[in-house]
Amino acid sequence: MTGRRRLGLVAAGATLLAAAPLTAIFESWTWIAQCVLAVALIEGAAVATRTFRFPTWAQAASMTLALLLALTWIFPSGKEIIIPQPDTFAHFADLIRQAGEDTRAYGVPVPDRDGLLFVAVLGVGAVTIVVDLLTAVFRRPALAGLPMLAIYSIPVAVYTDSVPAIPFVIGAAGFMWLLVADNVDRVRRFGRRFTGDGRDVDVWEPSPLAAAGRRIGIAGMLVAVVLPLAVPTVEGGLLTQLTQSGAGSGPGNGNGTGGRISLFASLSGQLNHTTTIPLLKVTTDEPEPFYLRFAIADALTDNGFGNESPRGGGLGLGLPDPRRQAGTRLSTYTEHRARVEVTNDLQQNMAPLYTYPTGVNNLKGSWAYDPNQQVLYSGRTTTRGQQYDITYLRARYTTEELRRAPALAPDDPLMAYTATPGDATVETEVARLTNGKTTDYDKVRAIYNWFSKENGFRYSTATQTTGKASEIADFLTNKTGYCQQYAAAMAWMVRAAGIPARVAFGFTRGTPQGDGRYEITNRNAHAWTEVYFQGYGWVPFDATPAAGVTGSARSNSNWAPDVDRPTPTASTSAGPGAVVPDSSGDPGAANGPDKSGIGEDQGGTTGPGTETTDWTGLWIAAGVALLIALLLVPALRRVLVRRRRHAATAPAAPVVLSADGITDLTVTAETGRAREDAHAAWDELIDSMVDFQVQVDPTETPRVTAQRLVRDLSLTGEPADAATLLGTAEERARYARQPLQGAELTSALREIRSGMSGAASRKVRLRALLLPPSVLLSWRQDVAEWSTRAAERLSGLRESLTRFNPRRLLSKTR
């Protein structure tokens, strides 16, 4: 096997080793099997093309085609016949879009999502091609470390904790293997290796210099692994940063980014206001609908509740009847129908549903339903532009029913939803609030009632932190935040009381449009708490102050009333317009449908809606202005140089022209200045010739150049006299004892530049104005000169280092 083919195989193996850090991202090993298959096909194509001595472009094309075939076979759309079809590329685009959504929805390690696996295989395959070409074709294995490093940067960027050291060591070993293989191949091709005493050794026989290099490499790798362990770091979760920095969805809402809602209920953060974006249109026959939900978060950490991957059967199998589920008694309920229309601005793989759905129709794509989370999700399809119909049950509860709900047994699987990280502040407060309460419902109501204005809680789009306590302790102490904090804090406290709880994500009812139609925007994204009661399932509790929630439908029933709403008197609570007390969707007078689309201020009070200024146009204008400014830099440089030269050529005394030419002037003390002025004027003339694409011959004398300029451009009159003047001035400055003094060189430069401009085409004139070739040529020469000086310094430094031989020190010590 030739050296290039051997190096290609080593490059493929080194790339797979460099991909080892991706093990920190995925839960399983599916990705590595798919990457091995893709890399094998790519390298097979490379070996085949090199065997038949194909040119470099054909080798690159064959490897790219092999990667495309590998992706087609590993991630088929179902419409291929061995080779990719147009639908295949559309499927690839959907996978990339899905990967973008999953990166915002899942924390590491992530499950085997098709989009994420596709991006991983695509990235590793692309790096394999680049590394192969750099190593086997261009013989630059050191540069191949850059794309290999790009793979390692991915887990570093997304991993919430420090990336494990072992994958880094494996990747570094792959890179060292690549360097060693290239060195051995070079030795085999061009000669033998010698030891320090002049004895030649075999390719694989160790030599003192090679051993020293290996020791240095191993020592450097160990330092890179061990040193970060000793450096103190500042802790901070990536999910918390995402919830703090994502584009906000509006008052009372969870964060939204790029048509996606963050599925993490943080206990701290800041809600950024944005412009109002329509997301959904819902038409329902329910008089007072409750919240639409699409996901839940049930994995509690120190920072809040995170989302776990849903699991369930395909939508084609139908939805389970919630009335027949074990442990659920929906004795009082009403059945309703709704139609959901999703805009193109909402792209997520979880479809909004009302609680207890019994049927979903007309939803396009592959979808599955998780009966435990009660969410409808897809691995390949998003909600973008979807229109579907749902039937659902609206359950009704009473205080007496929930109070009679028995407590769960200690070994019940649902008790897993009572796990907490443990926090002294939470436990102390929960013990105080639930003291003397005997039923689960009474404990939950005590916690729920505590989140009230009377106890100091208020709505705010930003949390406050002291930096000295946990995030949950900060929130319970400062008592300011938005829906994520209220939902997560209540769920944590309910869990601390020994009762299952989780956080639900969804949308408030939106703005009513009449005839049962509601418009839901990004400002309606919301989070609330769900508590499990045996026999009644997951019951919603919304602890967020109703005044801070746009389109709130906070229940006014006797099981979860609005604790901040004044108690109605007998005269105001009765009448034909009164709402049924047991309705799970009763909004109450203070928190009814949002009819005006008004927003909230930082303190959570209702007021005239003010939207944050959309800075997109301003940023675009600023970017365009910056681009124009950068493009005008050469022109500005040319103007400044011309102005400096014109100032240097200002006349001191008039010059008398005669038929015989320019008269001799008396030599004065300004002789040196006159020479400099002539040289500056001549430099400006040469640059002008370069700008207007007039040939410059450095071997000509100034007089010959001036004569050729007049002849080639057919100059007459003042431009011709100006060219003659400039040529004579430069010639006298170079060769004569008496230089020309007092010449009107500035005017001559203007005349000759005007003549060259008139003789040039419009394209040449425009380029001379905006991108002067003389400036670009000067910059290129400066860069080349700087590179030469740098190379000379490096060469000198290398020679100095080669003179230093450690063996001399050893011999002296002896």
Side-chain angles (χ1 to χ4, degrees):
M1 182 177 291
T2 62
R4 291 185 181 273
R5 283 179 285 178
R6 186 185 302 108
L7 282 178
L9 295 176
V10 174
T15 304
L16 289 176
L17 292 178
L22 294 181
T23 56
I25 295 182
F26 291 95
E27 290 180 346
S28 67
W29 297 91
T30 305
W31 70 273
I32 188 63
Q34 295 175 343
C35 288
V36 168
L37 176 59
V39 171
L41 290 175
I42 292 171
E43 198 53 40
V47 171
T49 52
R50 287 175 189 140
T51 301
F52 294 100
R53 301 182 181 276
F54 281 17
T56 300
W57 68 266
Q59 297 177 28
S62 66
M63 289 188 286
T64 304
L65 180 60
L67 175 59
L68 178 60
L69 291 176
L71 294 174
T72 303
W73 298 341
I74 298 174
F75 304 97
S77 64
K79 299 181 180 180
E80 299 88 355
I81 303 178
I82 301 180
I83 62 175
Q85 305 294 324
D87 291 335
T88 304
F89 297 99
H91 176 56
F92 288 170
D94 290 337
L95 290 177
I96 294 176
R97 189 182 304 111
Q98 176 190 331
E101 297 169 354
D102 290 343
T103 55
R104 295 187 291 267
Y106 294 94
V108 291
V110 298
D112 289 335
R113 306 283 294 172
D114 287 345
L116 297 176
L117 292 174
F118 176 84
V119 171
V121 176
L122 175 62
V124 173
V127 170
T128 301
I129 297 174
V130 175
V131 172
D132 181 275
L133 293 175
L134 289 175
T135 303
V137 177
F138 300 106
R139 303 306 297 265
R140 295 292 186 271
L143 292 179
L146 294 178
M148 296 167 67
L149 183 62
I151 299 179
Y152 181 71
S153 65
I154 297 175
V156 171
V158 303
Y159 207 72
T160 54
D161 300 318
S162 298
V163 179
I166 294 180
F168 169 77
V169 174
I170 296 175
F175 180 58
M176 294 179 64
W177 178 29
L178 186 64
L179 296 179
V180 170
D182 178 77
N183 178 68
V184 171
D185 182 74
R186 288 177 183 271
V187 172
R188 281 177 170 170
R189 293 177 60 191
F190 299 108
R192 300 181 178 180
R193 294 191 298 117
F194 290 84
T195 62
D197 56 2
R199 180 177 63 87
D200 62 315
V201 295
D202 185 72
V203 173
W204 294 105
E205 183 178 347
S207 66
L209 186 59
R214 284 191 291 270
R215 286 194 295 269
I216 293 175
I218 294 175
M221 189 170 60
L222 291 178
V223 170
V225 173
V226 176
L227 185 60
L229 301 178
V231 178
T233 59
V234 179
E235 297 182 357
L238 177 63
L239 289 174
T240 301
Q241 298 173 10
L242 288 176
T243 54
Q244 293 181 18
S245 60
S249 303
N253 314 330
N255 293 350
T257 306
R260 199 63 179 77
I261 307 298
S262 173
L263 300 184
F264 185 83
S266 174
L267 288 161
S268 66
Q270 182 176 358
L271 191 65
N272 301 322
H273 292 248
T274 62
T275 56
T276 301
I277 303 175
L279 300 178
L280 300 167
K281 291 183 180 180
V282 180
T283 304
T284 177
D285 59 2
E286 185 178 7
E288 298 292 344
F290 195 59
Y291 299 153
L292 277 168
R293 64 196 298 282
F294 57 80
I296 64 101
D298 51 13
L300 178 58
T301 65
D302 292 336
N303 298 327
F305 281 80
N307 171 262
E308 289 189 348
S309 302
R311 294 177 176 84
L315 185 60
L317 301 177
L319 302 183
D321 192 338
R323 293 165 292 190
R324 296 182 174 85
Q325 287 183 294
T328 304
R329 296 195 305 267
L330 300 180
S331 56
T332 305
Y333 62 88
T334 55
E335 188 172 8
H336 300 280
R337 292 175 174 80
R339 180 170 181 78
V340 180
E341 301 177 27
V342 186
T343 67
N344 292 334
D345 292 314
L346 182 62
Q347 305 177 48
Q348 59 180 26
N349 58 353
M350 293 183 173
L353 296 173
Y354 286 114
T355 309
Y356 296 124
T358 58
V360 178
N361 299 313
N362 303 322
L363 188 59
K364 300 178 182 178
S366 176
W367 295 83
Y369 181 75
D370 185 336
N372 179 37
Q373 298 185 8
Q374 298 181 14
V375 298
L376 190 61
Y377 66 97
S378 174
R380 298 184 177 182
T381 313
T382 68
T383 56
R384 177 186 175 92
Q386 294 273 14
Q387 297 183 14
Y388 54 96
D389 301 305
I390 58 176
T391 55
Y392 62 97
L393 303 178
R394 176 63 63 211
R396 298 181 179 181
Y397 316 100
T398 64
T399 302
E400 292 74 17
E401 289 176 337
L402 297 179
R403 186 172 284 117
R404 290 194 300 267
L408 292 173
D411 58 348
D412 194 294
L414 288 171
M415 292 300 290
Y417 293 100
T418 62
T420 64
D423 188 275
T425 302
V426 175
E427 294 171 357
T428 301
E429 196 62 45
V430 170
R432 183 185 67 84
L433 294 174
T434 60
N435 184 31
K437 305 299 187 293
T438 58
T439 67
D440 287 352
Y441 173 75
D442 290 331
K443 295 177 182 179
V444 174
R445 273 297 301 270
I447 297 172
Y448 173 80
N449 292 343
W450 185 57
F451 292 96
S452 64
K453 185 185 301 183
E454 181 181 354
N455 292 318
F457 284 91
R458 65 184 182 89
Y459 181 88
S460 175
T461 56
T463 58
Q464 300 176 3
T465 178
T466 60
K468 299 180 181 179
S470 62
E471 293 183 358
I472 181 66
D474 278 338
F475 174 71
L476 297 181
T477 301
N478 298 318
K479 300 180 179 180
T480 58
Y482 50 96
C483 65
Q484 288 188 15
Q485 287 76 54
Y486 281 96
M490 180 179 175
W492 189 329
M493 296 180 70
V494 171
R495 284 191 173 198
I499 305 170
R502 62 190 186 186
V503 175
F505 293 97
F507 299 98
T508 60
R509 69 170 62 191
T511 304
Q513 306 294 312
D515 298 330
R517 294 181 291 109
Y518 295 85
E519 183 181 57
I520 297 175
T521 69
N522 56 324
R523 294 184 178 273
N524 296 112
H526 191 47
W528 61 94
T529 307
E530 291 183 345
V531 182
Y532 189 85
F533 290 94
Q534 187 171 193
Y536 300 95
W538 294 96
V539 180
F541 287 82
D542 187 4
T544 308
V549 181
T550 304
S552 171
R554 188 169 179 176
S555 175
N556 192 36
S557 67
N558 57 4
W559 101 79
D562 184 355
V563 294
D564 293 330
R565 179 187 177 188
T567 303
T569 60
S571 60
T572 60
S573 59
V579 183
V580 179
D582 292 338
S583 172
S584 64
D586 176 24
N591 53 356
D594 184 13
K595 300 181 182 301
S596 60
I598 58 176
E600 294 74 25
D601 59 17
Q602 294 287 331
T605 58
T606 305
T610 58
E611 296 181 356
T612 304
T613 304
D614 188 0
W615 296 94
T616 304
L618 184 60
W619 280 112
I620 294 176
V624 172
L626 179 61
L627 179 61
I628 294 176
L630 293 176
L631 293 176
L632 292 179
V633 168
L636 178 62
R637 171 66 177 172
R638 186 71 181 92
V639 170
L640 295 177
V641 171
R642 185 183 303 117
R643 181 176 299 178
R644 174 173 55 81
R645 289 170 175 170
H646 283 183
T649 58
V655 176
V656 179
L657 296 177
S658 65
D660 298 332
I662 302 174
T663 61
D664 294 336
L665 300 180
T666 303
V667 178
T668 66
E670 298 295 329
T671 300
R673 172 65 184 274
R675 296 183 188 276
E676 294 177 359
D677 292 350
H679 293 329
W682 186 254
D683 291 340
E684 177 61 25
L685 175 63
I686 295 299
D687 283 351
S688 298
M689 294 173 63
V690 173
D691 291 341
F692 290 102
Q693 297 183 2
V694 179
Q695 182 181 0
V696 177
D697 188 353
T699 63
E700 293 178 340
T701 63
R703 179 181 299 180
V704 173
T705 299
Q707 293 174 353
R708 180 172 57 83
L709 187 63
V710 173
R711 183 179 62 255
D712 292 348
L713 299 182
S714 302
L715 300 179
T716 58
E718 294 183 354
D721 294 340
T724 303
L725 173 61
L726 293 174
T728 304
E730 177 63 13
E731 186 179 44
R732 294 279 295 272
R734 290 185 186 181
Y735 311 118
R737 179 178 299 178
Q738 300 176 355
L740 187 64
Q741 294 179 271
E744 187 64 39
L745 301 181
T746 303
S747 299
L749 286 173
R750 293 195 180 99
E751 291 293 338
I752 190 61
R753 186 175 179 86
S754 175
M756 286 189 290
S757 177
S761 63
R762 180 180 302 177
K763 180 180 178 181
V764 173
R765 291 197 301 269
L766 185 61
R767 183 181 180 186
L769 176 64
L770 300 179
L771 291 173
S774 61
V775 175
L776 303 180
L777 177 62
S778 175
W779 286 350
R780 286 196 296 268
Q781 293 174 346
D782 292 342
V783 171
E785 183 179 357
W786 178 86
S787 302
T788 303
R789 290 197 302 267
E792 291 175 352
R793 293 192 182 96
L794 290 176
S795 178
L797 179 61
R798 184 166 57 252
E799 292 178 359
S800 300
L801 293 177
T802 55
R803 295 172 185 172
F804 175 76
N805 191 342
R807 294 185 178 182
R808 297 180 180 177
L809 298 178
L810 295 177
S811 62
K812 291 180 180 180
T813 57
R814 294 178 182 175

